[in-house]
Amino acid sequence: MPHESRQFGYVSAVSSSHQVATPTGKFPVKALMAKIPRRAWQRYLAGAGAKGERYDDWARSTQ
């Protein structure tokens, strides 16, 4: 069963300057993330880290 049908999220960590290919060209990740509306981002507890609780910011893609 594909992950999408089970609604699992996933993380891919890359540098903010990493180039991503899109149908309209290559762009740095930082530029693409800036296009996501601020209201789309949610902060979730990701678990305990060496220096306390660790939070990650998520935005859901519908594509």
Side-chain angles (χ1 to χ4, degrees):
M1 179 182 296
H3 291 295
E4 294 83 11
S5 64
R6 293 183 284 175
Q7 298 185 356
F8 281 111
Y10 60 93
V11 174
S12 180
V14 296
S15 165
S16 64
S17 62
H18 180 79
Q19 296 283 311
V20 176
T22 73
T24 58
K26 286 179 106 175
F27 300 93
V29 168
K30 186 175 183 176
L32 296 174
M33 295 300 102
K35 292 183 177 287
I36 298 173
R38 198 173 193 110
R39 67 185 176 278
W41 292 96
Q42 301 285 323
R43 181 160 287 189
Y44 292 102
L45 179 63
K51 298 178 183 177
E53 293 180 334
R54 185 173 47 87
Y55 291 87
D56 287 331
D57 295 320
W58 293 75
R60 182 175 178 177
S61 170
T62 58
Q63 298 178 21

